[in-house]
Amino acid sequence: MKPSFVTAIAALLLIAAQHASIVAAGKGPRVIIVGAGMSGISAGKRLWDAGVRDLLILEATDRVGGRMHKHNFGGLNVEIGANWVEGLNGDKTNPIWPMVNSTLKLRNFYSDFDGVVANVYKESGGLYDEEFVQKRMDRADEVEELGGKFAAKLDPSGRDDISILAMQRLFNHQPNGPTTPVDMALDYYKYDYEFAEPPRVTSLQGTEPTATFADFGDDANFVADQRGFETIIYHIAGQYLRSDKSGNIIDPRVKLNKVVRQISYNDKGVVVTTEDNSAYSADYVMVSTSLGVLQSDLIQFKPQLPAWKIMAIYRFDMAVYTKIFLKFPKKFWPTCCW
Ligand SMILES: Cc1cc2nc3c(=O)[nH]c(=O)nc-3n(C[C@H](O)[C@H](O)[C@H](O)COP(=O)(O)OP(=O)(O)OC[C@H]3O[C@@H](n4cnc5c(N)ncnc54)[C@H](O)[C@@H]3O)c2cc1C
């Protein structure tokens, strides 16, 4: 069983002023966090818990939440970003899970991906024979397992890493890529759907195993709550930032519509400049924007980041995950067990 998931790549950069004297006795450091998504808001909470009180969060858009974002479609709120709690029922508890299921009681469902083989539709209508699809799935699963064992033997540095497609070739599985509609659907389900990129460019070592599932278990629950997945972020934010009765963050330490364009740093501290030419100084800045932002020239670092950081930023590709929502006049797909 393998749940759908987008490679969640978030980079957290910390630029520290190497100057102890700026942290006056009895007064904590001033920290600016760039971005009010899950990582920025969580970083703020960790700092708050560690006693750091002088925080400022600068967010480019007009809302807190980042890629956790609901949107009204066809009369319902749907998730245009994160939708599943991934990594459940393993030895360790996914830290998101108690918040979702116990504290906030967000409506959620176990995603039974075992049903995939019984639900592969023909282009011309009707279903493919389940037994046939199961055989193809068994073969794809077998190759994935072989790939996992092979990946475990590779040098941990990633020096010998190969793509998923290369691994499939190695095990003589669809050496020219999937050619039949069923194999295409299964390959998409196993890889593209999960990693937002095709096997040709998906790293074997980076995905076999996928840390979330290895750490927290193979299962995933789909959150379908009209309050939205973003409620989790508001819940975390509400533990250290002021919010109104509806849960909106109204704390002056969060500044919305502030697009950070420049971060200057030296051994005395940092100055963060936004698009509207406001400048904020602090002892430290944490940058929680996506890799996509870090790989663009939106934020100028002065001086330029050290080579090892730039290399780390460019070791990944920013995948594009497009969700398409369709509203059907009636439910034609089988449902079970919910
Ligand atoms: C379509 C889609 C589906 C997904 N599905 C799942 C799922 O099912 N389960 C799951 O766990 N994860 C899923 N994810 C991944 C998950 O949404 C992200 O990993 C997570 O929300 C990232 O949080 P973040 O804080 O690191 O980044 P972001 O949410 O991107 O937050 C960064 C913030 O920084 C702000 N910012 C950017 N540039 C600047 C700037 N220059 N100045 C100031 N602010 C700036 C942005 O506006 C944003 O608010 C999905 C993602 C997408 C896109």
Side-chain angles (χ1 to χ4, degrees):
M1 177 164 325
K2 195 116 188 226
S4 138
F5 121 107
V6 161
T7 315
I9 301 170
L12 211 59
L13 287 178
L14 177 65
I15 295 175
Q18 312 282 331
H19 205 266
S21 64
I22 55 174
V23 185
K27 182 180 170 287
R30 178 174 172 76
V31 181
I32 292 176
I33 296 172
V34 180
M38 187 62 167
S39 51
I41 292 295
S42 303
K45 168 78 167 62
R46 291 295 285 263
L47 290 170
W48 183 260
D49 289 347
V52 177
R53 293 289 177 264
D54 197 353
L55 292 171
L56 180 67
I57 302 176
L58 299 174
E59 165 56 44
T61 68
D62 62 359
R63 60 178 284 278
V64 168
R67 281 173 279 170
M68 292 184 172
H69 198 178
K70 66 174 184 287
H71 183 78
N72 194 274
F73 169 79
L76 277 178
N77 284 331
V78 295
E79 301 294 341
I80 56 175
N83 222 149
W84 275 267
V85 178
E86 313 195 299
L88 291 175
N89 302 323
D91 292 340
K92 284 197 272 175
T93 303
N94 187 330
I96 295 285
W97 183 236
M99 280 189 258
V100 167
N101 204 42
S102 312
T103 310
L104 297 166
K105 297 190 176 14
L106 294 181
R107 186 168 174 254
N108 69 84
F109 307 95
Y110 170 69
S111 277
D112 186 358
F113 290 99
D114 283 346
V116 165
V117 288
N119 285 287
V120 181
Y121 288 82
K122 291 178 183 162
E123 213 178 330
S124 52
L127 286 162
Y128 279 98
D129 175 56
E130 184 180 339
E131 214 175 305
F132 170 71
V133 181
Q134 185 65 62
K135 275 193 191 138
R136 298 309 297 159
M137 181 68 109
D138 289 346
R139 173 67 183 141
D141 284 344
E142 184 192 9
V143 171
E144 187 188 4
E145 206 179 313
L146 289 168
K149 287 184 183 148
F150 179 77
K153 286 194 221 137
L154 295 177
D155 192 287
S157 69
R159 186 187 68 196
D160 305 320
D161 193 17
I162 55 172
S163 69
I164 293 282
L165 181 67
M167 175 277 286
Q168 290 173 329
R169 284 183 178 155
L170 203 60
F171 295 107
N172 202 25
H173 180 58
Q174 38 195 48
N176 297 314
T179 48
T180 67
V182 167
D183 282 344
M184 283 180 198
L186 296 185
D187 210 49
Y188 179 87
Y189 156 71
K190 286 185 86 65
Y191 299 106
D192 310 53
Y193 180 47
E194 179 95 17
F195 304 122
E197 289 196 309
R200 187 175 53 79
V201 292
T202 300
S203 147
L204 175 68
Q205 272 186 293
T207 56
E208 296 288 349
T210 300
T212 311
F213 303 122
D215 289 350
F216 303 124
D218 279 339
D219 290 340
N221 274 33
F222 182 79
V223 174
D225 193 292
Q226 287 304 291
R227 288 170 288 171
F229 210 127
E230 63 199 25
T231 313
I232 305 168
I233 300 188
Y234 300 143
H235 169 69
I236 297 170
Q239 293 171 33
Y240 70 103
L241 297 168
R242 215 175 318 139
S243 53
D244 65 16
K245 280 189 188 138
S246 319
N248 302 311
I249 309 303
I250 50 162
D251 197 296
R253 287 169 295 172
V254 179
K255 293 199 181 301
L256 302 177
N257 300 308
K258 290 286 182 186
V259 182
V260 171
R261 296 305 306 263
Q262 187 174 299
I263 297 176
S264 309
Y265 60 101
N266 61 27
D267 60 357
K268 295 201 173 51
V270 297
V271 177
V272 177
T273 311
T274 52
E275 206 156 63
D276 58 6
N277 279 325
S278 307
Y280 303 89
S281 52
D283 302 317
Y284 301 90
V285 60
M286 296 184 86
V287 182
S288 77
T289 65
S290 67
L291 270 192
V293 168
L294 289 173
Q295 290 176 350
S296 77
D297 62 355
L298 184 66
I299 304 176
Q300 301 288 328
F301 290 91
K302 296 209 166 159
Q304 185 168 244
L305 292 173
W308 67 267
K309 262 187 196 177
I310 293 178
M311 281 158 67
I313 289 169
Y314 284 92
R315 274 193 70 187
F316 292 92
D317 190 25
M318 180 75 188
V320 176
Y321 196 95
T322 308
K323 276 185 165 181
I324 300 173
F325 292 90
L326 302 174
K327 187 176 180 185
F328 295 96
K330 63 178 172 41
K331 192 190 273 183
F332 63 85
W333 54 92
T335 49
C336 140
C337 326
W338 291 358

